[in-house]
């Protein structure tokens, strides 16, 4: 993907090939390889690793407060005891400058992650990302889109970043109306790219966390109305189904990249 490979592929009359990832969560090593053999990389957000629910020793939270405290807050959140989890968090942060410490840790991760993006990369935000910081780290080969379109290989891709509001209160959650406005702004596209899935039970239920994550009714309505070829998304790490059709649209969870390290490939 680096250098002249995309041009040589097109001159040879080969098909376009795009690799898509989501929920990178700090997997810089795999991200650096994610574009190999493709004409472009698409990243659907959640670059930051705040806390790894599979390995509680990894992420910003255990770096600041240790593994034991990470174990406890995961247990509270998994049990949906959100008020207790927030109270516990307030105890831990007492006397500390939360914003400064978190942003410092996020900046360190972003410096490594954005440096790993190949050229070209098209990226949008996940719900745990901090959009205000992205302009500092996005290089010329990385195009950041949110509520915007891009033409890649003759097809139109639409991008919608972030998540909807939840009790988890992650950094980039917005209201339903604001989110719907971004979806509407895209119009008709060939490939609809978002961080969160459309509001369909099979696509929003996480079988390991044993809960429904928030999906978007606006995305679902857009899929039914405009019938893109594909709807690509992440956010739900272990869904009931990874792929299903809504009408003529192929809906694909492109995977928990932090765990798999393997991009999803789209060719035409």
């Amino acid at each position: 993907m680096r250098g002249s490979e995309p041009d040589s592929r097109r001159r040879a009359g080969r098909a376009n090939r795009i690799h898509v990832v989501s929920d990178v969560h700090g997997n810089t090593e795999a991200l650096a390889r994610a574009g190999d053999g493709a004409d472009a990389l698409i990243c659907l957000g959640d670059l930051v690793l705040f806390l790894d629910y599979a390995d509680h020793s990894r992420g910003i939270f255990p770096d600041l407060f240790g593994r034991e405290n990470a174990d406890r807050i995961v247990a509270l959140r998994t049990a949906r005891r959100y008020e207790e989890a927030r109270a516990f968090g307030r105890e831990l942060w007492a006397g500390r400058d939360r914003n400064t410490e978190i942003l410092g840790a996020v900046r360190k991760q972003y410096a490594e992650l954005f440096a790993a993006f190949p050229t070209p990369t098209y990226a949008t935000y996940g719900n745990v990302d901090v959009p205000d910081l992205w302009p500092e780290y996005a290089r010329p080969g990385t195009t950041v889109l949110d509520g915007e379109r891009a033409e890649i290989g003759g097809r139109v891709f639409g991008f919608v970043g972030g998540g909807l509001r939840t009790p988890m209160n992650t950094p980039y959650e917005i209201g339903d109306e604001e989110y719907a406005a971004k979806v509407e702004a895209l119009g008709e596209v060939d490939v609809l790219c978002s961080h969160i899935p459309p509001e369909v039970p099979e696509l929003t239920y996480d079988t390991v966390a044993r809960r429904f994550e928030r999906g978007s009714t606006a995305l679902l309505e857009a899929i039914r109305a405009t019938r893109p070829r594909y709807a690509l998304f992440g956010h739900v790490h272990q869904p009931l189904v990874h792929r299903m059709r809504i009408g003529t649209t192929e809906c694909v969870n492109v995977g928990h990249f932090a765990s798999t390290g393997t991009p999803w490939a789209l060719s035409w």
Side-chain angles (χ1 to χ4, degrees), residues 183 192 197-198 203 217-228 230-231 233 245-251:
V183 176
L192 177 57
L203 300 176
T217 55
L219 287 172
L220 180 58
E221 291 168 359
I223 289 168
R224 289 172 171 163
T226 65
R227 298 184 292 177
Y230 291 91
F233 48 86
R245 279 192 175 274
I246 298 175
T248 60
T249 301
E250 191 76 13
C251 299

Side-chain angles (χ1 to χ4, degrees), residues 51-181:
L51 176 57
D52 189 333
Y53 278 56
D55 180 355
H56 304 169
S57 68
R58 298 181 63 244
I60 294 171
F61 188 94
D63 287 348
L64 293 174
F65 300 114
R67 170 66 183 265
E68 184 176 344
N69 287 324
D71 289 341
R72 182 177 175 189
I73 203 155
V74 168
L76 290 171
R77 289 178 175 177
T78 302
R80 302 183 187 180
R81 293 158 60 184
Y82 297 120
E83 288 299 330
E84 291 180 59
R86 281 191 283 269
F88 179 53
R90 286 193 293 269
E91 291 177 15
L92 294 175
W93 283 109
R96 302 178 67 157
D97 188 335
R98 176 174 182 151
N99 288 339
T100 298
E101 292 193 46
I102 289 180
L103 286 179
V106 170
R107 286 180 184 278
K108 181 179 178 181
Q109 290 190 15
Y110 277 167
E112 297 173 355
L113 289 157
F114 276 91
F117 275 144
T119 297
T121 291
Y122 300 84
T124 196
Y125 317 112
N127 61 293
V128 303
D129 286 311
V130 183
D132 288 347
L133 295 182
W134 281 37
E136 297 182 33
Y137 298 97
R139 299 181 174 193
T142 298
T143 302
V144 179
L145 303 114
D146 187 16
E148 300 166 284
R149 300 149 53 106
E151 184 177 326
I152 307 172
R155 286 190 176 179
V156 178
F157 289 70
F159 294 81
V160 185
L164 296 172
R165 293 198 176 105
T166 71
M168 301 290 283
N169 195 32
T170 51
Y172 190 40
E173 295 180 355
I174 62 176
D176 290 59
E177 291 185 4
E178 183 180 353
Y179 192 92

